Amino acid sequence: MACSDAQLSRFATRTVVDIVLGAMVMGTVGTMIGLLAGGGILPVAVGIGIALGVAVGIFGGRRFLISILVGTVLGGALAWALAGPEKISFGAGAGAAMGGFLGVQLSMLLDLWAERKRQAVSEDPRL
């Protein structure tokens, strides 16, 4: 089956958006880790974060990246509300970790649900 130019263009645009989103999200997480670690580790942590984000973006991990982003924002906001502005980075880091974990679990459940739905449709000729 051949792909049209419009389909290839849409695929390329989506991949580029995923890569940029991955670099931004994981670069931010790397920045938080670098700030907490101190001692000149910041550039290394940011570089590793961006590289991991690009890799996740290439493989199309949009749901995973969005769950990390939401976890980072909610964790930072909760830490700010409960402990003050000096603890935002701790809350953002913990929220990113929890968001990533929950994002992977949610993604697996959604994929499982979609597969069961496909099987039910293929087994029942009336659907």
Side-chain angles (χ1 to χ4, degrees), residues 1 5 10 14-15 20 24-25 29 37 39 41 44 58 61 71 104 109 120:
M1 179 192 292
D5 288 339
R10 193 173 333 127
R14 183 176 175 94
T15 302
V20 170
M24 288 174 36
V25 170
V29 172
I41 197 82
V44 175
I58 287 172
V104 167
L109 287 173

Side-chain angles (χ1 to χ4, degrees), residues 54-109:
V54 167
V56 169
I58 287 172
F59 290 114
R62 183 177 289 193
R63 286 187 289 199
F64 174 69
L65 293 167
I66 290 174
S67 68
I68 290 175
L69 180 64
V70 170
T72 302
V73 171
L74 291 178
L78 184 62
W80 185 13
L82 295 177
E86 64 277 355
K87 299 295 182 186
I88 290 174
S89 57
F90 288 103
M98 287 302 298
F101 173 76
L102 293 174
V104 167
Q105 300 303 316
L106 180 64
S107 181
M108 288 184 349
L109 287 173

Side-chain angles (χ1 to χ4, degrees), residues 16-51:
V16 168
V17 169
D18 286 349
I19 290 171
V20 170
L21 178 66
M24 288 174 36
V25 170
M26 298 300 280
T28 302
V29 172
T31 301
M32 291 292 130
I33 291 170
L35 288 173
L36 291 174
I41 197 82
L42 180 63
V44 175
V46 172
I48 291 172
I50 290 173

